[in-house]
Amino acid sequence: MTSNAQVGSVSEARGPAPVSVLVVEDDATIRRAVQLALERYGYRVAVAADGLSGLEAFRAGAHDLLILDVMLPELDGIGLCRRIREESPVPVLMMSARGDALDVVAGLEAGADDYVIKPVDTGVMVARIRALLRRATFRPEAEGTAAGKPGRADHILVFGDLSVDTLGMEVRRAGETVSLTPTELRLLLEFAAAPGSVLDRRRLLRDVWDYGWEGDTRVVDLCVLRLRKKIGSGRIETVRGFGYKLVRG
């Protein structure tokens, strides 16, 4: 694991309790290195060495964020992520040893929010963790995205059979609650703030994933794909060569 001196070693505590991170990694050296690095930044870290143990640890404790290796014994990281997504929208960061495109795509399709490539740069990992945690606690009214939008009230945005409550952070489709991860919800809020407008992938990487550097646009495409499955395939249109837009009606 490498380090990045530009990211200060500060606590990421929410109030009196530090953020809890579960790391599931079968390589003992990497697992220990990640644990020590994150503890230096003020995180409380739990670890597991295989997928089944990771699932047990996830169910046994209240963790704010999970870091999963793709290649795990017993239950691989892709399968583990799918199992977790059946139970929780907790932020998930995947680690891939090869940076292989199939690993990355499979992890994101399974419901992961982002990924890092091993050997992991400490500064990059912490930056990704901070961005994921900001998404998980995001409230648009604090940033002025809820005011003056169409709908039954300023904080209720309505698009056909889809309604988005930006105060209650609740999404309904045909009256039924739609369960979204923090990243999916943040992505939908970006579209809902500018219905009918085309949002390009780079802008979405900046505003949703909070990237201050060049990121992988596949995370956008696959998150849009997951979101479409939940809110309706025709609700978000692809504008070839440009990006995506939310259909108003």
Side-chain angles (χ1 to χ4, degrees), residues 134-135 137-147 155 157 164-170 185-186 189-190 193:
R134 282 195 293 271
R135 257 173 270 161
T137 57
F138 174 72
R139 289 295 180 271
E141 66 274 14
E143 300 185 16
T145 60
H155 66 282
L157 314 181
V164 183
D165 183 343
T166 62
L167 293 181
M169 303 296 278
E170 184 178 58
L185 179 57
R186 180 69 186 265
L189 289 170
E190 287 295 322

Side-chain angles (χ1 to χ4, degrees), residues 16 25 54 86 104 218:
E25 165 63 63
E86 293 173 356
V104 170
R218 285 177 297 185

Side-chain angles (χ1 to χ4, degrees), residues 24 66 172 177 190:
V24 187
L66 309 183
R172 289 181 175 271
T177 299
E190 287 295 322

Side-chain angles (χ1 to χ4, degrees), residues 57-192:
F58 159 71
R59 289 171 171 168
H63 303 290
D64 299 294
L65 183 138
L66 309 183
I67 300 176
L68 312 179
D69 185 32
V70 171
M71 302 299 293
L72 292 170
E74 305 296 337
L75 175 65
D76 68 23
I78 307 302
L80 176 56
C81 187
R82 288 197 182 100
R83 297 278 287 273
I84 289 166
R85 277 290 169 257
E86 293 173 356
E87 303 177 24
S88 172
V90 62
V92 173
L93 182 66
M94 299 293 294
M95 291 193 297
S96 171
R98 301 188 300 273
D100 184 83
L102 293 179
D103 283 351
V104 170
V105 169
L108 294 171
E109 286 181 335
D113 297 281
D114 207 345
Y115 73 95
V116 291
I117 302 302
K118 294 189 288 187
V120 178
D121 182 285
T122 301
V124 170
M125 174 173 279
V126 171
R128 300 288 175 88
I129 289 172
R130 288 174 173 169
L132 285 172
L133 293 173
R134 282 195 293 271
R135 257 173 270 161
T137 57
F138 174 72
R139 289 295 180 271
E141 66 274 14
E143 300 185 16
T145 60
K149 304 304 177 186
R152 296 191 302 272
D154 284 348
H155 66 282
I156 304 290
L157 314 181
V158 180
F159 308 97
D161 66 350
L162 187 72
S163 66
V164 183
D165 183 343
T166 62
L167 293 181
M169 303 296 278
E170 184 178 58
V171 178
R172 289 181 175 271
R173 182 185 178 195
E176 298 293 324
T177 299
V178 179
S179 178
L180 300 178
T181 68
T183 301
E184 291 164 354
L185 179 57
R186 180 69 186 265
L187 180 62
L188 178 57
L189 289 170
E190 287 295 322
F191 284 120

